[in-house]
Amino acid sequence: MSDAQAGLPELKLYNTLTRAKEGFAPLDPALVRMYVCGPTVYDYAHIGNARPVIVFDLLYRVLRHLYGADHVKYVRNITDVDDKINARAAGEYPGLDLNEAIAKVTFATEAQFHDDLEALGVMHPDVEPRATEHIAEMRTLIEKLVASGHAYVAENHVLFSVPSMPDYGELSHRPLDEMLAGARVDVAPYKRDAMDFVLWKPSRPGEPGWPSPAGIDVNGRPGWHIECSAMSWRHLGETFDIHGGGIDLVFPHHENEVAQSRCAFHTGIMAKVWMHNGFLQVEGEKMSKSLGNFVTIRDLLADWPGDVLRLNMLKTHYRQPIDWTLKGLEESAKTLEQWFDAAAPDAYPRPAPAVLEALADDLNTPKAIAEMHALKDHAGKKALGGTLAFLGFSEAPLRSWAAGRAPTLDIAPEEVEARIAERIEARRNRDFATSDRIRDELLALGVALKDNKDGTTSWEPRR
RNA sequence: GGCCACGUGGCGGAGUGGUUACGCAGCGGACUGCAAAUCCGCGUACGGGGGUUCGAUUCCCUCCGUGGCCUCCA
């Protein structure tokens, strides 16, 4: 079961750590382990947030196919402790106790996130851990780091000592001196080294707080990076196969995760393969609230089926920048409709060999899509159906969306049939002037006619 | 300022040291009374300038443009 089976392509993945595409060999083929950084739940997820979710969902499907569904463990966390959450909660519920306000914000945001993902048709990860449920693991990690000299206590903070790790910077490929030269932030006075980062910090009154590690006697809360080290450790172990996220996370977030985990466990790696998806722009511009082009998943779902959004995302290779446009969405919707027009159902969701081969090559989705276009002839219809199912695309929502999108008819169906009968009679008499007039009139009312080979005439709402 | 990506035909978007990616749009043909739908066919592109090479869109240098990171961020 575990090893590459006959007929299955070798999976190759681009590894940020080595900056090269490599053959993928799991640490334990009986259980391939993948961790992806999930959202910080303080606001509606935007379409950029959807990219890693969609990309790594695809990888999850490919891994399950290659290694068996029971031999893959996918963990995607929820970050529910963060300064942005606190700020939002205080602003949204000024009268409420801060902790209660935070609970309201995180609960509502997480529910919305799950609704969004449901509509997008991505699979559930095997585990979706919350940061606040892993405070104990964070404390344990911090104690380990302090004990081994990789972290120190200063003014009720615990800081990671970057100079204690000789190969710090291996993931982002940044030599320390260069970073210092470009740094333009004030260095907290209690840091021994400018690059040191916070593992734990004291809570201010009213803020969420937990008993601190390392002998600190005031309550505190975790720094940004420690949660992922804690959650991946708890659910995947000290080392695991794949760690994914957006390319903006490479530094400092992932670099610091690597430092924490490797130094806590004295291992040469944290994750074997690091994968990062590229950024997204909207209509050629960077997405920002100030430009007014901030697009949430929820907004898009009001106008489009989730599958169209997902296909649109996969049209571009995951490492490339993507420009999210209305025109692209129209095209994606059209493509999906064409595929379902041509596909024959397959009882088993399974990728066509050529599609799987493309996906195995570092998730080359544009190539895979080209292969799906090639399946539209008779011999490929069933393979196309199986591939669509494998990718999680479903026909019904698309069809009902398309039907709802058609212009409303200004004429009753019975009336259409009557006019068609009238036109057939005219054509039989070779009275084409009348025939064409009827067709034009119906078209003006939103009805498009099709004269079939067998002499009948069918119609559909004009697109 | 430092570091790092990307720049392909009208549009989207793979890939490759020398042979048509693919899709959308467009054009031509078949079919049709004419259409629609469908089917068949057509485009020789790779930011500018140098260099390496028998040969570069593909490698190297440089310039320009766009974006990312260095501070919260997918």
Side-chain angles (χ1 to χ4, degrees), chain A residues 216-234:
Chain A
I216 297 170
D217 57 10
V218 299
N219 275 189
R221 56 206 173 104
W224 176 31
H225 317 295
I226 194 69
E227 57 174 74
C228 287
S229 287
M231 287 185 275
S232 62
W233 171 40
R234 158 90 170 268

Side-chain angles (χ1 to χ4, degrees), chain A residues 27 33 141 144 229 232-241 257-258 260-262 264-272:
Chain A
L27 295 164
R33 290 161 289 161
L141 278 178
K144 282 172 173 286
S229 287
S232 62
W233 171 40
R234 158 90 170 268
H235 298 285
L236 297 177
E238 296 181 358
T239 62
F240 50 97
D241 295 292
E257 279 186 48
V258 170
Q260 293 160 348
S261 292
R262 283 189 47 202
F265 304 126
H266 310 290
T267 56
I269 60 163
M270 179 189 185
K272 200 171 176 184

Side-chain angles (χ1 to χ4, degrees), chain A residues 50 214 384 431:
Chain A
L384 180 57
D431 177 4

Side-chain angles (χ1 to χ4, degrees), chain A residues 325-438:
Chain A
T325 64
L326 189 61
K327 191 179 175 191
L329 285 165
E330 295 282 0
E331 202 177 304
S332 297
K334 190 168 183 174
T335 298
L336 211 48
E337 287 187 84
Q338 285 180 347
W339 281 344
F340 278 116
D341 286 345
D346 187 333
Y348 302 99
R350 53 188 164 189
V355 172
L356 182 62
E357 194 175 334
L359 295 177
D361 182 14
D362 194 32
L363 300 180
N364 190 338
T365 49
K367 181 74 163 30
I369 288 169
E371 297 295 350
M372 289 173 75
H373 284 298
L375 291 175
K376 282 186 294 187
D377 66 11
H378 181 71
K381 284 180 184 301
K382 194 175 178 187
L384 180 57
T387 301
L388 285 165
F390 168 75
L391 293 172
F393 291 118
S394 50
E395 180 166 10
L398 180 76
R399 296 303 191 193
S400 60
W401 168 81
R405 205 181 188 218
T408 48
L409 298 181
D410 298 325
I411 181 171
E414 311 83 64
E415 181 69 11
V416 174
E417 293 302 334
R419 305 292 325 256
I420 286 175
E422 194 184 323
R423 178 165 170 275
I424 287 174
E425 184 59 27
R427 292 182 70 212
R428 192 169 291 141
N429 298 330
R430 303 193 69 77
D431 177 4
F432 297 121
T434 300
S435 158
D436 291 352
R437 181 173 51 76
I438 293 171

Side-chain angles (χ1 to χ4, degrees), chain A residues 304-321:
Chain A
W304 305 90
D307 282 347
V308 169
L309 304 185
R310 195 144 50 89
L311 176 61
N312 196 242
M313 195 68 86
L314 297 176
K315 277 199 311 192
T316 305
H317 182 84
Y318 76 92
R319 282 192 280 121
Q320 292 287 112

Side-chain angles (χ1 to χ4, degrees), chain A residues 451-456:
Chain A
D451 294 332
N452 302 308
K453 287 276 186 190
D454 60 6
T456 63

Side-chain angles (χ1 to χ4, degrees), chain A residues 294-305:
Chain A
F294 198 82
V295 186
T296 65
I297 301 173
R298 188 188 205 189
D299 290 339
L300 287 162
L301 286 169
D303 295 332
W304 305 90

